[in-house]
Amino acid sequence: MKLKALFLSTLMGLSLNAYAKSVDITISPEKVDDKTWYAYIDSDTDEIPTEKKQKIFAALSKAIDENMTATAAIRLGELYYYGIGIETDKSLAAFWYIRAAELGDSYAQFWLGKYYLLRSDPHDSVASLAWFEKAAAQGYAPAICGVGFHYQNGISSDDKNVPPLLAIDEKKAKALFEKGEKLQEGACTGFAYD
């Protein structure tokens, strides 16, 4: 698995370098922060000119080549997820979110928790819980709600002879939902709870 990730990273680095050199970059790739990001992406429209998409992609690529930051990796993941400036590729989006999560970014860890939650395999549910727990340990309110969701629903194995991988614990789930909502109103939106 590490070899595959290294290969993808190297391949991405080579193609990103070539792409970055072919596009005029007008934003500072060293600071791909929220302000810079939203200056280039209008959140109220789906219509983003191709030239703008290419500049975003090139700047992020250069930022990642020069200094891997969690923010740059998340933004590149978003570009792949939504197909901004490049073809949509959910697996490459996940790859970049994993890079950001490994750098300790709680939002990326939460995103991966949701990504695995939407899949139906019990092993993916275990991965979802693990990523939610990492983000929750940093105090990220929506992730605390994600952990609560898993305690509310439990995680069972496909094999009926195997005990649940995580037993349902309504009391713990409620406490986690309340904690998440206390930290950030609306943090548990999207997680069904009573």
Side-chain angles (χ1 to χ4, degrees):
M1 186 67 170
K2 285 188 177 187
L3 184 59
K4 182 178 178 185
L6 178 63
F7 171 74
L8 281 174
S9 177
T10 303
L11 180 64
M12 287 300 303
L14 294 173
S15 64
L16 298 178
N17 276 335
Y19 193 91
K21 289 176 184 173
S22 70
V23 179
D24 177 37
I25 300 171
T26 59
I27 64 174
S28 172
E30 297 81 30
K31 295 187 178 182
V32 186
D33 56 11
D34 285 343
K35 183 178 177 184
T36 304
W37 177 254
Y38 289 111
Y40 276 84
I41 299 223
D42 303 319
S43 59
D44 61 343
T45 180
D46 292 331
E47 296 298 318
I48 301 170
T50 301
E51 183 179 317
K52 186 184 271 190
K53 292 177 186 179
Q54 292 172 340
K55 287 179 181 179
I56 295 166
F57 185 76
L60 286 168
S61 302
K62 186 173 180 189
I64 288 170
D65 287 344
E66 292 176 359
N67 179 21
M68 169 55 85
T69 65
T71 301
I74 288 169
R75 299 305 187 218
L76 192 53
E78 288 176 343
L79 296 181
Y80 275 107
Y81 190 83
Y82 296 108
I84 299 172
I86 47 179
E87 291 295 318
T88 300
D89 189 328
K90 304 283 196 243
S91 62
L92 280 174
F95 172 81
W96 288 110
Y97 272 98
I98 289 169
R99 292 287 298 270
E102 289 171 345
L103 288 168
D105 186 86
S106 59
Y107 170 76
Q109 292 166 345
F110 170 73
W111 187 93
L112 286 166
K114 284 185 74 173
Y115 174 80
Y116 286 110
L117 180 64
L118 297 174
R119 299 165 61 115
S120 59
D121 187 290
H123 298 292
D124 289 334
S125 293
V126 171
S128 170
L129 177 60
W131 284 115
F132 280 149
E133 286 177 331
K134 285 182 184 211
Q138 296 183 61
Y140 192 69
I144 293 168
C145 299
V147 174
F149 176 85
H150 281 294
Y151 275 99
Q152 182 182 41
N153 295 288
I155 301 173
S156 59
S157 172
D158 287 336
D159 185 348
K160 301 298 179 200
N161 298 321
V162 174
L165 302 171
L166 179 70
I168 293 173
D169 186 337
E170 288 290 335
K171 191 174 185 178
K172 190 165 188 172
K174 183 178 180 185
L176 288 164
F177 285 132
E178 288 173 356
K179 181 179 179 180
E181 282 293 319
K182 185 177 180 182
L183 287 172
Q184 177 186 331
E185 186 177 332
C188 295
T189 302
F191 295 107
Y193 70 98
D194 298 328

